[in-house]
Amino acid sequence: MLRQLIRFGGIGGFATIIHVVVALAIRSGFGFSPLQANLVGFFSAALFSYIGHARFTFGVDKIHLAQFLRFVFVA
């Protein structure tokens, strides 16, 4: 259980970094508005977070679209 908690926190930390880096890159590199850049960063981080948690934290073999959409909605 401790390993799973550490993995969960690690994936969350990396997702946060991805969100910030992608949003900043989109904002400065492509001139998107802050809101648009944040939205792209959020979805990038959500995708990484879902796949990372499913595979690495919880050991799920298949990725399901319905579960992903539910994950994004809750996030």
Side-chain angles (χ1 to χ4, degrees):
M1 186 69 162
L2 181 59
R3 280 185 160 172
Q4 194 173 38
L5 184 60
I6 292 169
R7 288 178 179 175
F8 188 82
I11 295 294
F14 278 121
T16 300
I17 292 168
I18 288 171
H19 185 153
V20 171
V21 168
V22 168
L24 289 174
I26 292 293
R27 172 80 173 122
S28 63
F30 296 100
F32 282 33
S33 73
L35 182 61
Q36 293 169 327
N38 186 51
L39 189 62
V40 173
F42 168 77
F43 281 113
S44 300
L47 180 62
F48 172 82
S49 184
Y50 178 76
I51 292 171
H53 285 309
R55 300 261 169 126
F56 188 64
T57 304
F58 302 113
V60 175
D61 291 332
K62 284 187 164 184
I63 303 298
H64 299 283
L65 180 61
Q67 289 177 341
F68 175 70
L69 295 175
R70 191 175 349 168
F71 177 85
V72 170
F73 179 76
V74 170

